[in-house]
Amino acid sequence: MMGTDFSEWLRGRSDERLRALVAARPELVTPVPAHIEGLAARAGTPSAIGRALDRLDRFALAVLETLVLRPVPAAREALREPLARAASGTACADRLDAALDDTLERLRTRALIYDHADGLLPAPGVAEALDPPAALGPPAEDVFRHHSPEVLDAMVAGIAGQEEQDRRNGRAGKGKGNGRDRRGTARERLAALLADPATVERLLTQVSPPARAALDELAWGPPSGRVKGARREVSVATAQSPIEQLLARGLLGATGEETVTLPREVALFLRDGRIHRDLSPCPPELEGSSRDQVLADRTAAGQAFTFVRTVEELCELWSADPPGVLRAGGLAVRDLKRTAQLLDVPEWAAGLVVEVAHAAGLVAAGEGEWLPTPGYDMWRVRAAEDRWAALASAWAGMDRVPGLIGERDDRDRPLNALHPDLRRPAAVQVRTRTLGVLASAAPGLAPTSESVLARLAWEQPRRRAALRDRLAEFTLREAEHLGVTGLGVPSSHGRAMIRADGTAADLLAPLLPEPVDHVLLQADLTAVAPGPLTGDLGRWLALAADVESKGGATVYRFGEQSIRRALDAGQSADDVIAMLDKHSTTPVPQPLSYLVSDVARRHGRIRVGAASAYVRCDDPSLLDEVLADKRAGLLRLRRLAPTVLASKTSRAALVDSLRAMGYAPVAESLDGDVVVARADARRTDGQPHPRTAASTAPDPEVVAAAIRAVRAGDEAHRTRRPPADAPDGQLPRSPATATITALQEAIRQGTRVWIGYLDSQGHATSRILEPARMEGGYLTAYDETRATVHRFALHRITGVAGYGERLG
């Protein structure tokens, strides 16, 4: 009956309110139900109710729990009284009425409560989903369900006194063992006694202070505890310990050999008219220190710029020397450590950089290696503020948790960076909620992590607290590193990123330092960049020199290996000197010119090709030197001609080995041309893991279309009735041959039919079908009564009656 009332209430809602319902609970129209009954049934499923409850804050959940505990439909004032008791003494108790009205309307909008003629009722399935509500134990009838009638009779007699004893003795001759009199079973009589506040108050005066203290510990939950020897057969006369005193009087129930439970009726009495404790109608205020917002914005901008450059540096490093992909997926621990050292950041920060670059589609797995993608080449030519906005958006929407890198899973296996096991379904929702809390902070306020966690606990009380708090703490740390916050204060561009209004890059741009296109070359083979370099110059210096230190100014050091990298990339000595001369505010130092010339003179004298591999040199004496080197023994070199050596080693391995021996070989093609190692040549088309976007409101046009479809389907469903000549309460019946013929004709003509059907338990049901095909002893048809396509066994169809409606 309740389900029918709920369906009718939903049917009476306006289209605007149904659209609001779908916007708040989009899972109800995935897929679109066929009619209002289908929408109501889906709204009452455990999974749908669970999702809706997870979105409620603590006060809304308390309002719903208060309604569930009411035995009959409740008016608003009946709900207000226990809520007012719970909210008394809180900072915003004076806002209770406004908060209650707003909350009731939100619960109606989400179809978690509905209006009845006598008051408000919880929607079907809500009470079961909230059981037990408000950290209360089960009702007394459930607590004492497994107690024997004799034990319950003795307990009731002990609670009710001599009057109950006389009544029980007078009943003894009328029937033994049934445990029932005119007032119901012993369990029902015990539940009625405990529901009487006067009885519970009298029983509490009979127990010792330690027993009362034990009850007070269980009163606000959890309602169960563990004790040794929780016996069910305890009388008031034989009770000795505090727990036995409570068990004998029904104030506690033994629900296991070592488990006792506080009945709900007793707990409600102990709570003194309150259902919840310290209930605040409004969220807790954020607390923290106040800082200058302008300073916070500049600090956050500096961190944002550093993060962008770190991601770019990572992609350039992996382009030249990509790490391998583990067999189970992910990045090896040693590769992460090496990456952290090269980027000069802590390991947790390196893991964050790697994960964000992956989420943004800048790196991906390809042919056993982690490599930049073509998307990186498009990303790196954009303005710095646009690059940061792309990275921050990818971080906010990814379902992976970089903070878990280095920990171990349930099987004691390490969680590596980029491993699939770093995905957590709740990550994006908790991160979005945490960022929303930060965005709500007053300008210049640096909220403490404790106040942020307290706000999240109020906004998401049903979330697993331990996991939620860890994810929130990771979010706060990562937000500071990305530049969403500065000095703990949400930045202006960070707030814009959280709002996703497209203004984050515009707000960040004026705060970023202007890139410079020059360096200061020094005689000690170093170059000092007085600020952030332009993209082209920065990439060229990363190729031709090594970063020695970072800070206000970046120091690059030139060496043989770095100059050789530039030469391997196809540049000549003149190109290197010209580039230095163009971008240096000081003349090119002589030691640096000599270094470039010396490396270029030796570079490429040895050529390595593919035989498996061969070594070619115009100077036979140089090859004599290579053969005489003991380190060349593992290369298994064999002389084919005065200027040619052959090896079974691959060309790449041979080049690396000769370079490790101090030579400067270059690879050459089959045509004898030098193979140029372009910095952007190594790319992969591999795709990153799909991201789970934060829950957002569905498209209003889609919502409107879904409601129109539901309304149209409901109208058609309500007008479809069994044929007028069908006897009331009877199913169609026809001979098997006539049934088959009628179904074939319905399929041919495209008409609906009304059938009687026996399910696997032999229960008779009535169905309205749209037959599609009949084969193998089964009829495949759309069942309009259940809004689904189903297969019906022909031998279970009792008969067919023509429905007379043509489809389409």
Side-chain angles (χ1 to χ4, degrees):
M1 183 67 179
M2 181 182 293
T4 303
D5 291 343
F6 180 65
S7 298
E8 289 300 324
W9 177 81
L10 269 184
R11 183 173 287 115
R13 304 284 278 177
S14 66
D15 287 358
E16 180 181 358
R17 293 184 178 276
L18 288 182
R19 288 194 295 269
L21 166 63
V22 172
R25 300 174 64 181
E27 63 274 4
L28 297 185
V29 291
T30 309
V32 177
H35 38 63
I36 292 294
E37 277 86 354
L39 179 64
R42 190 173 298 170
T45 59
S47 60
I49 292 178
R51 291 183 182 180
L53 295 179
D54 287 343
R55 301 183 182 113
L56 297 182
D57 57 53
R58 178 168 293 168
F59 184 71
L61 198 62
V63 172
L64 200 54
E65 289 174 332
T66 303
L67 179 60
V68 164
L69 289 171
R70 303 289 300 182
V72 294
R76 176 192 179 280
E77 290 306 316
L79 297 177
R80 185 189 183 283
E81 181 180 354
L83 293 171
R85 286 175 175 265
S88 62
T90 59
C92 53
D94 56 334
R95 286 183 267 174
L96 173 66
D97 289 312
L100 178 58
D101 292 337
D102 176 70
T103 299
L104 289 176
E105 186 57 34
R106 278 194 292 132
L107 294 176
R108 284 192 190 93
T109 298
R110 302 183 183 199
L112 293 173
I113 65 174
Y114 69 101
D115 296 296
H116 189 269
D118 300 324
L120 296 170
L121 281 175
V126 170
E128 292 78 6
L130 287 174
D131 191 37
L136 290 167
E141 286 200 41
D142 293 335
V143 172
F144 298 101
R145 181 177 300 278
H146 299 291
H147 288 58
S148 67
E150 293 77 14
V151 170
L152 292 176
D153 276 337
M155 192 179 297
V156 170
I159 295 174
Q162 187 61 43
E163 179 184 357
E164 175 65 26
Q165 181 69 36
D166 295 341
R167 186 177 291 111
R168 189 162 65 92
N169 291 337
R171 194 177 64 247
K174 300 179 182 179
K176 297 180 63 177
N178 59 8
R180 174 181 289 275
D181 63 11
R182 289 176 301 172
R183 294 163 301 142
T185 64
R187 187 170 69 246
E188 293 170 347
R189 299 198 310 276
L190 176 59
L193 287 171
L194 294 178
D196 179 21
T199 301
V200 176
E201 184 176 12
R202 175 171 57 83
L203 293 176
L204 290 176
T205 62
Q206 300 173 5
V207 300
S208 63
R212 177 61 188 265
L215 286 180
D216 290 338
E217 275 196 38
L218 299 175
W220 292 101
S224 298
R226 297 181 65 84
V227 296
K228 291 185 178 180
R231 295 183 297 127
R232 294 172 180 167
E233 300 83 4
V234 183
S235 66
V236 174
T238 61
Q240 297 180 357
S241 68
I243 297 300
E244 288 181 347
Q245 295 175 28
L246 299 173
L247 291 173
R249 291 167 174 82
L251 297 175
L252 281 182
T255 53
E257 294 183 359
E258 296 184 352
T259 306
V260 294
T261 300
L262 180 67
R264 181 175 298 177
E265 295 85 347
V266 178
L268 289 173
F269 178 85
L270 294 173
R271 294 186 182 188
D272 192 23
R274 293 182 295 169
I275 296 176
H276 303 86
R277 180 168 56 178
D278 300 330
L279 177 65
S280 175
C282 54
E285 296 291 336
L286 293 177
E287 300 175 350
S289 56
S290 297
R291 303 184 186 276
D292 180 29
Q293 183 66 51
V294 175
L295 177 61
D297 286 347
R298 293 184 181 276
T299 303
Q303 292 163 181
F305 185 82
T306 300
F307 189 82
V308 170
R309 284 304 175 96
T310 305
V311 171
E312 184 176 1
E313 189 176 346
L314 168 79
C315 294
E316 293 295 332
L317 287 172
W318 283 12
S319 178
D321 187 14
V325 179
L326 294 176
R327 182 180 302 176
L331 183 70
V333 174
R334 64 178 181 273
D335 289 327
L336 180 63
K337 291 180 179 291
R338 176 172 173 269
T339 300
Q341 292 173 353
L342 293 174
L343 298 178
D344 193 23
V345 295
E347 283 190 35
W348 73 264
L352 174 63
V353 170
V354 168
E355 287 288 346
V356 172
H358 181 247
L362 306 184
V363 297
E367 298 182 359
E369 294 177 324
W370 291 105
L371 288 164
T373 65
Y376 164 66
D377 297 310
M378 294 184 288
W379 173 83
R380 71 179 182 179
V381 299
R382 299 167 65 184
E385 59 271 18
D386 293 324
R387 286 184 283 167
W388 178 84
L391 294 176
S393 176
W395 166 73
M398 68 182 187
D399 59 355
R400 300 174 59 78
V401 186
L404 296 177
I405 295 173
E407 299 186 4
R408 308 189 79 83
D409 63 10
D410 297 337
R411 301 181 183 178
D412 200 34
R413 298 176 302 184
L415 291 171
N416 298 85
L418 300 176
H419 195 279
D421 288 348
L422 286 181
R423 300 182 68 182
R424 295 292 184 276
V428 63
Q429 289 85 358
V430 174
R431 189 181 296 114
T432 302
R433 284 272 192 168
T434 305
L435 292 176
V437 171
L438 289 176
S440 68
L445 178 66
T448 62
S449 60
E450 293 78 10
S451 66
V452 172
L453 295 181
R455 174 71 69 86
L456 288 174
W458 189 90
E459 290 185 352
Q460 297 180 313
R462 281 172 55 90
R463 289 279 184 193
R464 289 167 46 196
L467 176 61
R468 179 195 62 218
D469 290 352
R470 290 204 69 197
L471 294 177
E473 289 171 349
F474 289 150
T475 299
L476 295 176
R477 181 178 69 173
E478 294 164 4
E480 186 76 14
H481 195 73
L482 266 83
V484 176
T485 61
L487 303 176
V489 178
S491 63
S492 300
H493 55 273
R495 294 175 188 268
M497 186 278 295
I498 296 170
R499 295 193 303 266
D501 58 5
T503 62
D506 295 334
L507 293 173
L508 177 61
L511 303 174
L512 295 177
E514 287 292 333
V516 298
D517 63 350
H518 61 273
V519 296
L520 285 76
L521 295 177
Q522 303 183 106
D524 60 350
L525 301 181
T526 60
V528 179
L533 298 174
T534 59
D536 291 340
L537 179 57
R539 283 188 290 274
W540 186 87
L541 269 180
L543 177 69
D546 297 314
V547 176
E548 188 169 82
S549 65
K550 297 179 179 179
T554 305
V555 178
Y556 295 86
R557 178 166 294 279
F558 296 95
E560 288 191 16
Q561 289 187 353
S562 65
I563 296 298
R564 190 171 62 216
R565 286 201 304 266
L567 298 176
D568 287 344
Q571 299 188 34
S572 64
D574 292 338
D575 294 334
V576 174
I577 296 297
M579 190 71 172
L580 293 173
D581 186 62
K582 176 182 178 182
H583 293 285
S584 175
T585 57
T586 58
V588 178
Q590 193 175 51
L592 182 54
S593 298
Y594 285 167
L595 174 65
V596 174
S597 300
D598 183 60
V599 174
R601 178 177 54 80
R602 293 182 288 112
H603 182 265
R605 294 179 63 193
I606 295 178
R607 303 291 185 92
V608 178
S612 291
Y614 65 84
V615 180
R616 182 172 66 84
C617 181
D618 294 337
D619 185 358
S621 63
L622 188 56
L623 294 186
D624 293 338
E625 182 182 339
V626 172
L627 288 173
D629 196 319
K630 293 182 179 180
R631 294 172 294 178
L634 296 177
L635 300 179
R636 302 174 65 182
L637 297 171
R638 185 165 60 90
R639 198 159 203 155
L640 300 181
T643 59
V644 180
L645 300 178
S647 173
K648 292 185 177 180
T649 308
S650 66
R651 182 175 66 185
L654 188 54
V655 169
D656 291 340
S657 299
L658 291 173
R659 286 178 176 172
M661 294 165 59
Y663 300 98
V666 295
E668 71 174 12
S669 66
L670 295 177
D671 297 329
D673 299 324
V674 175
V675 177
V676 176
R678 290 179 53 201
D680 60 349
R682 306 200 68 178
R683 295 290 183 264
T684 179
D685 291 329
Q687 297 297 318
H689 290 298
R691 291 188 287 139
T692 302
S695 56
T696 56
D699 187 340
E701 294 185 2
V702 175
V703 172
I707 296 304
R708 286 196 300 270
V710 171
R711 287 290 195 194
D714 188 63
E715 185 66 25
H717 175 70
R718 296 180 68 192
T719 58
R720 291 166 191 164
R721 296 289 184 265
D725 57 351
D728 292 339
Q730 296 186 16
L731 298 179
R733 296 190 177 276
S734 58
T737 304
T739 297
I740 299 297
T741 303
L743 291 175
Q744 290 175 339
E745 185 66 16
I747 294 172
R748 187 180 66 82
Q749 295 186 2
T751 55
R752 296 181 178 88
V753 294
W754 178 47
I755 70 167
Y757 192 72
L758 299 177
D759 60 19
S760 57
Q761 284 76 38
H763 299 146
T765 59
S766 173
R767 311 288 184 94
I768 297 175
L769 306 182
E770 298 176 2
R773 65 178 180 274
M774 189 167 49
E775 58 186 5
Y778 286 89
L779 170 70
T780 301
Y782 178 75
D783 185 352
E784 294 188 358
T785 53
R786 286 162 174 75
T788 183
V789 176
H790 191 67
R791 296 181 72 204
F792 300 89
L794 291 176
H795 68 278
R796 294 184 182 275
I797 298 177
T798 63
V800 176
Y803 195 72
E805 287 189 43
R806 185 176 298 276
L807 301 178

